Amino acid sequence: TLMERAILRKVFDDLGLRKLCCEVLDFNDRVVAFHERFGFRIEGRLKAHKLIGDRYCDVLLMAIFADDWQDATTGPDRGEQCS
């Protein structure tokens, strides 16, 4: 949690980027929920994109915008999103 917050701070506050994207395997619900707690949203799905063992799995495209990060860090429910 501290690392995610530090990365987002670096990306948006220090580097001034507008958007940060990541890819998550669709069956990894815990990682999807983790990113959503910090304000990431699912933007798309790459069907049968990654070969894992002997089957192809979908990959979720997730992203957060700088404005959403600012809202999450300054809004009234900050502690709930960043715990």
Side-chain angles (χ1 to χ4, degrees):
T1 302
L2 291 175
M3 184 60 75
E4 179 97 355
R5 213 172 302 149
I7 290 168
L8 291 170
R9 225 180 295 142
K10 180 73 173 176
V11 166
F12 295 127
D13 297 342
D14 297 346
L15 299 176
L17 296 182
R18 185 179 72 85
K19 183 178 181 179
L20 179 65
C21 303
C22 68
E23 295 180 357
V24 179
L25 295 170
D26 76 329
F27 60 81
N28 200 336
D29 296 332
R30 292 181 77 181
V31 173
V32 171
F34 177 78
H35 286 308
E36 287 177 335
R37 279 200 317 260
F38 287 91
F40 280 80
R41 298 292 174 250
I42 296 171
E43 291 193 335
R45 175 182 296 265
L46 301 173
K47 301 291 286 179
H49 186 70
K50 178 83 172 163
L51 182 63
I52 305 286
D54 62 348
R55 71 181 185 106
Y56 283 91
C57 300
D58 291 359
V59 172
L60 300 177
L61 304 175
M62 300 186 76
I64 182 172
F65 285 91
D67 291 344
D68 296 331
W69 165 247
Q70 293 303 324
D71 291 346
T73 58
T74 60
D77 57 351
R78 175 183 180 223
E80 188 174 307
Q81 288 185 336
C82 299
S83 61

